Structures are given as structure tokens and as C-alpha cells.
Amino acid sequence: MATKNIFRISITIILVLVLAGIIFYPKVKPMFSSGQEEGPQPGMRGRGAGQPLYTSGYILVPTKMNEMVNSTGSLLPDEEVDLAFETSGKVVGIFFEEGRKVKKGELLAKINDKPLQAQLLKLQAQKKLVEEREYRQRQLLDRDAISRESYDQVATELQSIEADMMLIEARIAETEMRAPFDGIVGLRMISEGAYATTQTKIIRLVKTRPLKIEFSIPERYSGEVTPGFPITFVIDGFPEPFEANVYAIAPKVDVNTRTISVRAIYPNTNEELKPGRFASIRARLSEIENAVSIPTEALIAEMSGEKVFIYNNGKAKEVKVETGLRTESHIQIREGLNFGDTLLTTAILQLREDLPIQLDTLVTNQHLVNEEIQ
């Protein structure tokens, strides 16, 4: 029995030791750690005392920088007007077909003018009689048979009748609605026999050749866009872009949007485009050949100016730069860098003057920098 008790006690002690080892081993292990780093941080791969910083290089070559402004706009008719009569009356004639072209001066509709025509006939008859009297009086005046005063009375009466006739003719003209310019008439809003007033819209006349394109640009570009400035615009349903030229610029910046309104003209010779359509506008502003351009993330801004780091004989070299044209992803460098320099583009915040550098990636800037500004 004593042997069995000793065996049980031994087993119990062993189990207690194993359990204690499982519980306390993770806490004890760090005490015997070798002190080695778990792994290199970004830009610090394998770097210890005196070890180089790993970064990427960007070889500068001549590029072409284009600054494009993207905007949205609408197509507007060259001229547009809602036509109405200048006087009130019953519509006695409609002489146009909806949706067709009309010429300037063409008669489109007419109001009843019979009372006015009757008045005109009466005045014409009176004028004839007064003209005969004026003729006879002038003959007598030439022979000094009547006084000058008698002749002037007849001449004045003739002038008064002529003035009344001109007034009636003007009122008759008001009963005629004529096209003020060449264009296309829309859908008529009244029928023959209806009574029309000066507020009654009869038809809309639209001139679609040429077309205007209205859009807005940021205020900072107002000095670059001038009359004659070329733009391109895209319309849904047409595979190729259209070209137009700016002809007018608003004299004032919109204080709410800080943009300035611009209008361009498109010939629309074949009248393939309709007013009111949405247009995507593209305007090329600045274009620089053989520019030194760098990615925006490589530029470091400081109180004293702007700088970059370049690779020089295995070390980082700080260079002060003067910038120019800025786009969304690239910046033109006017002074400080030359073609062939290797710009450092990663681990920017860790770079210092004369810091040992190891290039793990080297890129040549061979693409066209053509950015779009919204």
C-alpha cells in the first residue's frame, strides 16, 4: 500500500509541475528574449546603426505638361423668343407649320384688321381731296391770288391726314406677327379663331445656327481665357468631340461659386446639335514643353520655402526648388532640379541631408503629364 501511495503522490507532483510550466512559460520567455527586432519598418528594411535607408528613385526627363480645365455646360440657341401679337384681337390666320424653318420677316399669323383697313380707306379718300385743294391753293399762291396763311392751312390739313394714315398703317402692322430672325418655329400655343392679347404666347422661334455653349471656370483662370480661346466639348451620342471658340466672358466673378461664366460659339452648320443639351467642356490652359516635373508627394513645404531630396553618390541631398505649374498629381520645377537628377519619392519624412540611401526602385519619368482640373 505504501508503494501505491508513493506512486500516486509522484504522479500528482508531475502533473502539478507540467500545469505550472504551461501557465508560467509565456510570461517567463520574454525574460530570455535575445532583444532582436521583429522585422524592419517601412523604409528601414534591415537598417541598423550606419545602415542605409531604403527608398525609391525617380529619374527626371523632359516632359510635356498640359493643364486642362474640365467643366460642364449647356448648349444655348443663338437667338430665342416667344412671339406674341403687339395688339389684341381675333386670330384670323396662322401661316406657319410647326417645327419648320422660317425666314426673317415672314408672316406667321394675323389678327382681324378690317376696322383699321376701313379707317385707312377713309383717310386715303380724304387725302386725295385735300391734295387737290393743296394743288389749287399753291397755284393761286404763285400768282399772289391768296394769302400765305390760306395756303398753310390746307398744307397743314394734308400733313395731318398723312400722319393719321401712318398711325393706322402702324396699327395694321401690329396685327401681323412676323419672324424677327431666321430660325425654327416650335409648337403653336393657339388656334385660328381664338382671341389673343399682348400676353398670349403664339409660338417660340429658335435660331439653332450657330449655337452658344455656356459654362463656368474657376476664377483663377479668368485671365487666361480670352475671346478666341479654343475649347472642345462632348455630347452624349456623338463619338467625336466638337470644337468651339470663346467669344464672351462675364465681367464679374460669381461670389457664391467663385467661378466666372464663359460663352463659346459653335457654327452648327448642319444643325446636328439641339439647344438645351448637356455638354462636357474641356479647355487646355497652360502647355509647357520640356518641363521638369515631379510627383506632388515628393515636394516638402517648409516655412522657408519648398524643397526635395535627390540621390547623390549614395546619400540624400536636400535641394531648394522654385515651383511653377501645378496639376493634380505633378508640379513643374522651374529652378533647383535638372534633367537626369534622381528624385527620392518614398520615406520622405525620414530623409535627412547626407543620410545613406539604398534605392530599391528606380523609375524613369517618360510619360506625358496631362492633368485635368475639376
Side-chain angles (χ1 to χ4, degrees):
M1 294 293 293
T3 303
K4 289 182 179 181
N5 290 334
I6 294 173
F7 177 76
R8 289 176 181 175
I9 293 172
S10 300
I11 293 298
T12 300
I13 293 173
I14 292 172
L15 291 175
V16 170
L17 292 175
V18 170
L19 182 60
I22 293 173
I23 294 174
F24 293 103
Y25 177 76
K27 298 181 180 180
V28 177
K29 184 178 179 180
M31 297 177 59
F32 300 93
S33 174
S34 62
Q36 294 179 352
E37 297 287 343
E38 292 185 3
Q41 301 298 317
M44 305 288 288
R45 185 167 64 251
R47 187 180 174 215
Q51 295 298 314
L53 174 69
Y54 284 83
T55 183
S56 299
Y58 188 88
I59 300 178
L60 301 177
V61 298
T63 59
K64 179 180 179 181
M65 294 189 71
N66 292 329
E67 187 174 20
M68 304 290 293
V69 170
N70 274 5
S71 183
T72 57
S74 299
L75 301 186
L76 304 178
D78 185 45
E79 302 289 350
E80 181 179 17
V81 64
D82 288 328
L83 296 179
F85 288 106
E86 298 180 64
T87 188
S88 301
K90 179 182 177 181
V91 179
V92 296
I94 294 178
F95 310 109
F96 61 85
E97 295 179 8
E98 296 169 294
R100 76 172 182 89
K101 295 180 180 180
V102 296
K103 295 291 185 180
K104 180 179 180 179
E106 184 176 337
L107 180 62
L108 302 179
K110 187 166 179 61
I111 282 178
N112 180 32
D113 65 351
K114 288 184 178 180
L116 295 174
Q117 292 289 352
Q119 293 181 38
L120 182 60
L121 286 174
K122 180 180 179 180
L123 290 172
Q124 288 174 343
Q126 292 176 356
K127 178 183 177 183
K128 185 176 181 180
L129 292 175
V130 175
E131 282 178 338
E132 292 176 354
R133 286 175 55 196
E134 188 271 338
Y135 175 75
R136 290 194 298 269
Q137 292 288 74
R138 188 170 63 250
Q139 294 295 325
L140 293 174
L141 180 65
D142 291 342
R143 295 195 298 268
D144 294 328
I146 61 171
S147 66
R148 182 73 186 184
E149 182 180 358
S150 297
Y151 172 78
D152 288 344
Q153 290 178 351
V154 175
T156 301
E157 184 179 354
L158 178 60
Q159 292 176 355
S160 178
I161 291 176
E162 289 176 342
D164 289 340
M165 290 179 62
M166 292 178 62
L167 177 60
I168 295 299
E169 289 172 347
R171 293 180 62 187
I172 291 175
E174 290 178 348
T175 66
E176 299 176 344
M177 188 179 71
R178 297 183 179 272
F181 49 81
D182 295 348
I184 300 176
V185 292
L187 306 179
R188 61 186 172 95
M189 309 171 193
I190 199 170
S191 298
E192 189 172 330
Y195 186 85
T197 68
T198 56
Q199 303 300 317
T200 305
K201 295 180 181 179
I202 308 301
I203 195 71
R204 176 169 293 178
L205 179 63
V206 179
K207 186 177 181 181
T208 60
R209 186 174 63 182
L211 285 179
K212 299 172 182 176
I213 303 97
E214 184 172 272
F215 60 99
S216 298
I217 60 173
E219 60 179 332
R220 65 180 180 274
Y221 299 121
S222 59
E224 298 185 46
V225 178
T226 57
F229 191 90
I231 67 165
T232 60
F233 63 97
V234 177
I235 302 294
D236 288 343
F238 292 87
E240 298 296 329
F242 300 89
E243 296 181 355
N245 292 292
V246 171
Y247 76 92
I249 302 165
K252 181 182 177 181
V253 174
D254 189 315
V255 296
N256 296 317
T257 62
R258 293 301 173 186
T259 60
I260 187 166
S261 297
V262 179
R263 282 189 178 180
I265 197 82
Y266 173 68
N268 201 29
T269 305
N270 300 322
E271 297 186 74
E272 67 275 20
L273 300 181
K274 301 295 183 184
R277 296 205 62 178
F278 174 86
S280 298
I281 315 296
R282 300 187 69 189
R284 176 178 294 177
L285 297 177
S286 303
E287 180 172 320
I288 304 175
E289 299 283 352
N290 298 324
V292 177
S293 68
I294 66 171
T296 54
E297 63 269 16
L299 187 68
I300 302 172
E302 295 181 331
M303 294 294 294
S304 58
E306 295 172 311
K307 68 179 182 179
V308 296
F309 282 94
I310 63 172
Y311 180 80
N312 183 33
N313 296 325
K315 296 183 178 180
K317 179 181 179 181
E318 180 182 308
V319 179
K320 297 289 185 179
V321 295
E322 179 181 339
T323 60
L325 174 65
R326 291 174 180 260
T327 66
E328 186 175 347
S329 63
H330 282 75
I331 301 175
Q332 177 200 6
I333 301 300
R334 292 179 176 174
E335 293 184 7
L337 297 178
N338 298 304
F339 299 130
D341 288 345
T342 301
L343 180 74
L344 301 181
T345 58
T346 59
I348 300 298
L349 298 180
Q350 302 175 43
L351 293 174
R352 299 292 182 271
E353 181 73 13
D354 293 328
L355 182 70
I357 295 298
Q358 178 66 49
L359 295 178
D360 56 1
T361 305
L362 189 61
V363 179
T364 302
N365 178 21
Q366 295 179 339
H367 65 281
L368 172 67
V369 180
N370 187 1
E371 289 301 323
E372 300 175 355
I373 307 300
Q374 301 294 333

